[in-house]
Amino acid sequence: MKKSETLVQFSCENSWEYLRNEMRRSRGKRLSYLVNRYQWKNYPRKKVPAFPLNVDIEASSRCQIQCAHCFRQQMDIGENDFMDLDLYKKIVAECGKHGLFTLKFSMRGEPLLHPDIVEMVDFAKKSGVKEVWINTNGGPLTPELSAGLIKAGTDWITMSFDGLHSTYEHVRYPLKYEASLKKLKTLREMRDKYKANTLLNVQSIWSAIKDNPQEYIDLMKSIVDRVAYNPDMNFKDVILTPDPKFVCPRLWQRICITSKGNYLKCPTDFCMEEIIGNAKTLGVKEAWDTVQEEQRQLHLAGRRLESRVCAKCHHGAIKKKVGVDIAGVHHDDFSYDYKEKFDGWGAENQPAPQTEREKG
């Protein structure tokens, strides 16, 4: 197992698979990739890059499904929009000018719902962004959209795929397992058909695969390049134990922009409790050098917990080791130190969330 930069995500790669995936991810940009990885791992707390290494951009704050484990079921995120295409191009043109490495379509919504998502990917690549990354639940994928994303030059696609069969349908409500599996296979077929460099990744919450992890890993490895899992997070109750000594590396790595152009210091500010500016009037470089710098100084001064957002952030919680057994091999993984017992969202005896129509 290999830990990601976030410590609590685990990639089910052996050494050969890790090297293969790194080579695929860096193809055509190897030197800049090595520089980016060095900065990503070594700059936090010590040196501020001239421009963010990663910009999280919310093409859509809308989502078409109701996942059992998602923060969207527990709170009002304050937006339900598609990013205006002109605003997007303004942001991305500046990112390309400054040599941005990763533009990540992620955060609080489903990016593939945006009607111009293929054009957005194409514009980013033509603007000089080196890596375009998409996180998706996979629901909107069609053969045509899959082909469009691949041909536009998407470098990395992560599909959240929690568990197998009825467990998947419980967590990823109301998506259907067989249909989603077919979409994942179609994405791989399109990647191979167009001989693209796109790295394909799936991720699951641990509770959805803990009873049969090897079956899940074997199936997914037959389709995609990389398989990962995350510990479950409880957004219903704030029961994490905060680490007062934590200094968040994200403030040296990235900045986030919501569908309405609001700057957030971190993608875990789900409800926009601390908006630090807006891209309509504040450029990315200026936001990075000023309002994000204020956040960095707050952390360095040991005052992180003065922030409402940081005080309840799972990344800043105390971690604990937990034993995980996969195929008879024991791994010392990490999870969150919850103040109360929390077993996760993958248990099928929990009711699936209701839609607004079902609630009446």
Side-chain angles (χ1 to χ4, degrees):
M1 297 297 164
K2 296 187 179 295
K3 293 184 285 292
S4 76
E5 292 92 345
T6 58
L7 183 67
V8 288
Q9 182 179 80
F10 290 85
S11 168
C12 306
E13 302 167 295
N14 59 37
S15 297
W16 160 245
E17 290 166 339
Y18 174 78
L19 179 60
R20 178 200 65 194
N21 292 338
E22 289 293 291
M23 294 297 286
R24 176 178 287 278
R25 183 179 177 185
S26 64
R27 194 171 295 162
K29 47 184 179 289
R30 199 141 290 155
L31 179 59
S32 59
Y33 178 72
L34 291 173
V35 171
N36 175 268
R37 291 295 86 191
Y38 177 83
Q39 293 174 322
W40 188 271
K41 294 178 181 179
N42 295 286
Y43 274 25
R45 303 190 194 190
K46 302 172 186 175
K47 185 175 181 179
V48 181
F51 198 77
L53 307 177
N54 178 105
V55 172
D56 293 274
I57 198 160
E58 199 172 64
S60 167
S61 53
R62 302 180 186 181
C63 190
Q64 85 285 17
I65 65 174
Q66 294 179 302
C67 298
H69 63 295
C70 181
F71 56 87
R72 294 177 65 99
Q73 314 311 322
Q74 312 299 337
M75 60 191 75
D76 179 4
I77 67 169
E79 290 185 20
N80 187 39
D81 301 281
F82 293 141
M83 178 173 278
D84 176 76
L85 189 59
D86 289 337
L87 175 60
Y88 169 82
K89 289 184 175 181
K90 172 182 177 290
I91 294 166
V92 173
E94 182 186 359
C95 290
K97 177 183 175 182
H98 286 279
L100 175 68
F101 194 87
T102 301
L103 181 75
K104 189 173 184 180
F105 290 101
S106 186
M107 291 178 62
R108 306 172 301 164
E110 172 49 55
L112 299 190
L113 292 177
H114 198 296
D116 300 315
I117 188 63
V118 173
E119 181 180 351
M120 293 169 111
V121 173
D122 182 67
F123 183 82
K125 295 302 295 183
K126 288 178 178 176
S127 296
V129 175
K130 296 176 179 62
E131 179 178 74
V132 174
W133 181 317
I134 294 175
N135 277 7
T136 178
N137 59 49
L141 282 171
T142 62
E144 294 75 21
L145 180 55
S146 296
L149 294 171
I150 296 297
K151 290 193 289 185
T154 311
D155 298 275
W156 179 301
I157 299 176
T158 289
M159 185 167 167
S160 294
F161 207 111
D162 298 286
L164 304 174
H165 309 297
S166 59
T167 299
Y168 172 86
E169 294 183 0
H170 161 72
V171 177
R172 290 277 154 185
Y173 181 81
L175 298 180
K176 299 301 180 184
Y177 173 74
E178 292 295 341
S180 293
L181 193 63
K182 183 177 180 180
K183 290 177 180 183
L184 188 61
K185 291 178 179 179
T186 299
L187 194 59
R188 171 61 185 267
E189 290 169 5
M190 293 299 174
R191 197 273 301 272
D192 294 349
K193 175 181 179 179
Y194 294 106
K195 298 180 172 60
N197 292 331
T198 313
L199 192 146
L200 301 178
N201 176 62
V202 296
Q203 61 184 12
S204 173
I205 52 174
W206 172 248
S207 67
I209 66 170
K210 66 180 181 179
D211 294 332
N212 55 354
Q214 198 59 50
E215 180 184 357
Y216 176 87
I217 292 167
D218 289 345
L219 173 63
M220 292 303 163
K221 280 189 177 183
S222 71
I223 305 170
V224 302
D225 306 300
R226 183 177 181 273
V227 182
Y229 63 88
N230 306 287
D232 293 63
M233 291 179 284
N234 188 345
F235 296 109
K236 183 177 181 180
D237 303 299
V238 181
I239 56 175
L240 291 164
T241 305
D243 182 354
K245 298 180 181 179
F246 181 73
V247 176
C248 185
R250 290 180 163 203
L251 301 174
W252 281 260
Q253 296 166 336
R254 66 209 305 170
I255 199 166
C256 311
I257 310 173
T258 75
S259 61
K260 300 298 283 186
N262 290 316
Y263 284 111
L264 305 177
K265 60 183 172 183
C266 174
T268 53
D269 185 0
F270 305 120
C271 296
M272 302 182 299
E273 293 181 82
E274 295 178 7
I275 295 172
I276 58 177
N278 191 280
K280 296 174 184 176
T281 56
L282 188 66
V284 180
K285 171 66 172 168
E286 186 179 359
W288 181 249
D289 290 341
T290 58
V291 289
Q292 192 74 327
E293 176 62 18
E294 293 173 6
Q295 298 298 324
R296 289 188 282 267
Q297 292 303 318
L298 192 70
H299 276 236
L300 291 173
R303 297 168 53 201
R304 177 181 71 88
L305 296 181
E306 293 178 15
S307 161
R308 296 189 305 274
V309 175
C310 295
K312 59 186 177 183
C313 176
H314 53 280
H315 287 286
I318 293 175
K319 312 297 190 298
K320 65 179 181 180
K321 284 188 176 182
V322 293
V324 169
D325 292 303
I326 297 179
V329 179
H330 181 81
H331 305 275
D332 283 327
D333 291 358
F334 291 85
S335 187
Y336 305 105
D337 183 27
Y338 285 110
K339 298 174 184 176
E340 303 172 14
K341 182 177 173 60
F342 176 60
D343 294 325
W345 300 99
E348 292 183 58
N349 59 357
Q350 296 178 2
Q354 292 180 303
T355 64
E356 292 302 317
R357 181 176 296 177
E358 288 172 334
K359 291 176 184 178

